[in-house]
Amino acid sequence: MVEVNAHTRIAPPDACVQIEGLCKSFSGQVLYEDFDLTLPNHQFVSIFGPNGCGKSTLINMISGLIPFDRGTILINGKPMRRSRIGYVFQNYRDSLFPWMSAFDNIAYPLKVKGMSQRDCRDRVEQLIETFNIRLDLKRYPYSFSGGQQQLISILRALVADPEVLFLDEPFSALDFETTLFVRDKLQEIFMTANLPMLMVVHNLEEAVYLADTVLLLSKRPTHLVARVPFDAPRPRTPDTLSSPEFISVSRHCLDIFQEEMRK
Amino acid sequence: MIIQTGRSPSLSIGSLSIWVDRLLPLLGVVLLFAVWWLIAVSGWVNQVLLPTPFDTLVQLVSATVTGNMLTDFGATVLRTFEAFIIAAVIGVPLGVALGSSERLYRSVEFLIDFFRSTPASALIPMFILFFGVSDFSKVIIAAFSALLLILFNSAYGVINAKRSRILAAKVMGANRWQTFRDVLLWESMPQTFIGLRSGISIALVIVIVAEMFIGTNQGLGKRIIDAQQVLNVKDMYASILITGLLGYALNMLFLVFEKRVIHWSGK
Ligand SMILES: Nc1ncnc2c1ncn2[C@@H]1O[C@H](COP(=O)(O)OP(=O)(O)OP(=O)(O)O)[C@@H](O)[C@H]1O
Ligand SMILES: [Mg+2]
């Protein structure tokens, strides 16, 4: 039986994702050249960078969805083939399976591993209880609101007890109000599960708000421009947005970003 | 009181317009019958060639109730379904299999496109050579033309499956077979249904043509051509009408079925 609790894992090394000498080109166009990156465990990391700099490509490579040319990527010291990864896609509409009920969607990663029907049900029930989510999971995904659907994709990514959760612009298909709802839920999940998360966002405030660390990427060929820590206490609330810390960190990130764009 | 009398006419106008809206699809039918009737009674066309719609409908009903229209109808329906089932049972799995390997599909694409573009009726003589003038022959040729449509649509459904869902399955740890069973097959369903629907339509067309051309004891195609030969025009038109109704009913049946199965379509 898998557990949500991160403490049950056997001695995780400090780095949850370790990238060394990563190279990736698309049809002769260099995207990454000798790219190094280490992501600490237990942290919420946001990635921010210009359009087309390869943010999606980066997390797709870490999750093993697309191949890379050279370099190594380790997750908790293991090659990614042997790691458990949770991935929340940008568009819930195109990544949930509309022919399955919400329940079957969430349980799918367990079913694929050959877990019995009964254990699947127990696990899903435990998961929604842990995160205090009330949805009628017998319904089909399209009968839920956008925010609820994205929440279902997040639960699906969490159900198999991943070592790290990747989120690619998880709010971009949501309206403002739903974004607030999903964002708060995500923070709650992060605090409960103590699970490292890596999120790509295209809005600087969004990036800073939830993050322990903000990674700023350059234009292609892409390199890491700066890693900016943000250690306001959790849970973060709308008040955080007006705290001097938040304002100065956002300002700092913006300055670095604008300087980088001028190059 | 005043308010009530003021309201009731507008209410009845409202319900009247709802009724008109409901009856709108029938307008074309009524119009067609009116024009038909006009031409029939005006004498522009020889009475022998064009009976009035009323006479045709009377013939349709009497041939159905007392005559042997139902026997012919049943024979045609049976052949159409036999052909369709053969085509579907082979075409869907084969199409899905071809579609899941794009290179495999590309290698047979020309053949499929070529035979899809060849009118199936042009192949009837060849089929007669191989299978004789038996009943089986008619079913096989109809099955063949339906097969191509079904196969091609299923293959395209798989080829055009949303990439993001395949990636999602992959990142959740699904192997190739699981991805195929849980994602590709479902993704291809809407397109497969289009193939099935066009498949049964073409099967009916070919069955009718084959019944006229190859000859048989029963069947709507034979009935139409026989009636025409002896200038029994009333029965000819009645048979054409019932054939049209059959085609329409088959299409509707599949549309309803499709809506049921592919409940997520358009959502
Ligand atoms: N399959 C591919 N073939 C060729 N080029 C590609 C492919 N996928 C991505 N690219 C290119 O690689 C670059 C990085 O793409 P990627 O989607 O990772 O960017 P991104 O940072 O996520 O951008 P966005 O902010 O628009 O989401 C882009 O310039 C894109 O054109
Ligand atoms: Mg992207």
Side-chain angles (χ1 to χ4, degrees):
Chain A
M1 191 70 223
V2 271
E3 281 287 328
V4 199
N5 209 321
H7 302 301
T8 55
R9 279 190 216 113
I10 17 155
D14 271 352
C16 103
V17 175
Q18 213 172 346
I19 302 174
E20 265 166 39
L22 179 72
C23 300
K24 174 77 184 172
S25 317
F26 279 117
S27 47
Q29 294 258 41
V30 176
L31 187 59
Y32 287 100
E33 179 78 33
D34 271 328
F35 185 81
D36 297 328
L37 181 68
T38 306
L39 299 182
N41 232 323
H42 311 300
Q43 278 212 353
F44 195 113
V45 178
S46 296
I47 301 186
F48 185 80
N51 275 112
C53 76
K55 304 177 293 286
S56 302
T57 306
L58 182 64
I59 59 175
N60 285 342
M61 287 189 293
I62 307 177
S63 343
L65 287 180
I66 53 178
F68 45 91
D69 305 339
R70 260 176 298 126
T72 53
I73 299 179
L74 296 178
I75 293 174
N76 284 331
K78 297 168 295 179
M80 63 221 178
R81 269 180 296 107
R82 292 199 277 115
S83 324
R84 297 183 309 277
I85 289 161
Y87 194 132
V88 177
F89 290 83
Q90 176 172 2
N91 197 334
Y92 48 84
R93 221 173 262 122
D94 293 341
S95 67
L96 288 172
F97 302 152
W99 45 84
M100 291 181 188
S101 68
F103 177 89
D104 288 337
N105 265 283
I106 297 175
Y108 189 72
L110 303 176
K111 196 184 140 203
V112 155
K113 291 190 172 65
M115 192 183 270
S116 75
Q117 198 89 40
R118 208 200 146 85
D119 287 348
C120 284
R121 207 182 47 230
D122 291 347
R123 171 69 185 129
V124 173
E125 264 160 24
Q126 180 204 350
L127 185 73
I128 58 179
E129 208 166 296
T130 311
F131 300 127
N132 189 25
I133 285 154
R134 279 188 199 83
L135 295 173
D136 177 13
L137 296 181
K138 285 193 287 298
R139 283 158 50 193
Y140 288 103
Y142 53 76
S143 66
F144 293 94
S145 72
Q148 290 169 331
Q149 288 186 56
Q150 192 58 298
L151 204 55
I152 291 168
S153 348
I154 294 175
L155 289 176
R156 182 177 75 170
L158 290 173
V159 78
D161 186 33
E163 296 165 63
V164 54
L165 183 67
F166 299 119
L167 305 108
D168 189 2
E169 302 194 17
F171 310 127
S172 64
L174 303 176
D175 63 24
F176 181 66
E177 195 186 341
T178 336
T179 298
L180 298 187
F181 162 72
V182 176
R183 196 177 66 183
D184 286 347
K185 213 67 203 176
L186 193 62
Q187 169 162 256
E188 199 184 315
I189 292 170
F190 175 70
M191 289 166 66
T192 326
N194 195 14
L195 168 76
M197 295 189 184
L198 180 63
M199 176 171 78
V200 172
V201 261
H202 59 202
N203 170 327
L204 195 49
E205 287 214 334
E206 233 36 288
V208 176
Y209 181 78
L210 283 179
D212 296 305
T213 304
V214 182
L215 302 179
L216 296 168
L217 297 183
S218 69
K219 285 186 286 200
R220 59 193 292 188
T222 310
H223 58 94
L224 186 63
V225 179
R227 40 186 333 148
V228 183
F230 178 53
D231 35 37
R234 287 183 197 277
R236 295 178 185 159
T237 60
D239 290 339
T240 311
L241 291 171
S242 47
S243 71
E245 262 174 305
F246 179 84
I247 291 169
S248 80
V249 168
S250 300
R251 183 76 232 173
H252 180 57
C253 289
L254 187 62
D255 288 344
I256 297 173
F257 184 73
Q258 278 177 333
E259 173 131 352
E260 184 58 34
M261 286 306 99
R262 249 178 265 124
K263 277 185 189 165
Chain B
M1 256 334 255
I2 296 168
I3 293 169
Q4 279 210 336
T5 46
R7 264 177 86 183
S8 54
S10 80
L11 244 177
S12 69
I13 287 171
S15 61
L16 191 72
S17 81
I18 288 171
W19 269 106
V20 169
D21 274 358
R22 276 212 196 125
L23 293 176
L24 223 48
L26 287 179
L27 192 64
V29 179
V30 172
L31 222 63
L32 173 75
F33 274 76
V35 171
W36 177 0
W37 180 80
L38 253 176
I39 296 175
V41 297
S42 68
W44 291 330
V45 178
N46 191 335
Q47 281 273 297
V48 180
L49 299 183
L50 190 68
T52 62
F54 184 70
D55 286 348
T56 306
L57 288 179
V58 168
Q59 169 69 19
L60 180 59
V61 172
S62 73
T64 308
V65 178
T66 62
N68 48 6
M69 182 72 98
L70 275 184
T71 327
D72 288 321
F73 183 82
T76 299
V77 169
L78 186 69
R79 285 188 191 114
T80 305
F81 270 94
E82 279 171 358
F84 170 74
I85 286 167
I86 294 173
V89 165
I90 302 173
V92 173
L94 195 62
V96 169
L98 282 181
S100 39
S101 159
E102 188 141 0
R103 297 187 55 207
L104 196 63
Y105 184 76
R106 294 287 164 234
S107 64
V108 292
E109 187 176 23
F110 175 75
L111 272 188
I112 295 176
D113 278 349
F114 177 78
F115 281 108
R116 219 163 50 84
S117 322
T118 311
S121 40
L123 299 175
I124 292 182
M126 184 192 86
F127 275 83
I128 294 178
L129 276 185
F130 279 101
F131 299 102
V133 291
S134 60
D135 228 30
F136 183 65
S137 181
K138 299 177 201 88
V139 171
I140 281 294
I141 181 162
F144 175 75
S145 33
L147 173 75
L148 289 174
L149 269 178
I150 292 174
L151 189 141
F152 152 85
N153 275 291
S154 295
Y156 260 81
V158 175
I159 289 174
N160 295 328
K162 280 226 168 73
R163 225 185 123 54
S164 54
R165 294 207 180 105
I166 301 172
L167 287 182
K170 191 176 171 195
V171 85
M172 288 187 279
N175 59 30
R176 277 193 68 156
W177 160 244
Q178 287 165 329
T179 309
F180 175 78
R181 184 194 60 194
D182 300 329
V183 182
L184 283 179
L185 213 55
W186 293 89
E187 281 274 327
S188 70
M189 285 249 275
Q191 190 74 32
T192 295
F193 260 91
I194 293 176
L196 292 177
R197 197 147 44 84
S198 356
I200 198 152
S201 293
I202 196 80
L204 177 63
V205 169
I206 298 301
V207 163
I208 295 284
V209 173
E211 283 169 352
M212 289 178 173
F213 200 57
I214 303 181
T216 172
N217 291 327
Q218 283 134 11
L220 289 171
K222 173 194 159 30
R223 191 185 178 98
I224 293 171
I225 203 96
D226 283 358
Q228 186 246 7
Q229 297 288 312
V230 299
L231 273 184
N232 181 359
V233 285
K234 264 192 266 177
D235 197 63
M236 186 186 84
Y237 284 104
S239 307
I240 293 175
L241 266 187
I242 204 162
T243 309
L245 283 175
L246 174 59
Y248 181 77
L250 287 178
N251 201 34
M252 287 318 275
L253 183 78
F254 272 72
L255 275 179
V256 169
F257 191 53
E258 191 175 323
K259 266 227 171 89
R260 277 275 168 92
V261 178
I262 308 172
H263 53 84
W264 64 90
S265 135
K267 285 177 181 157

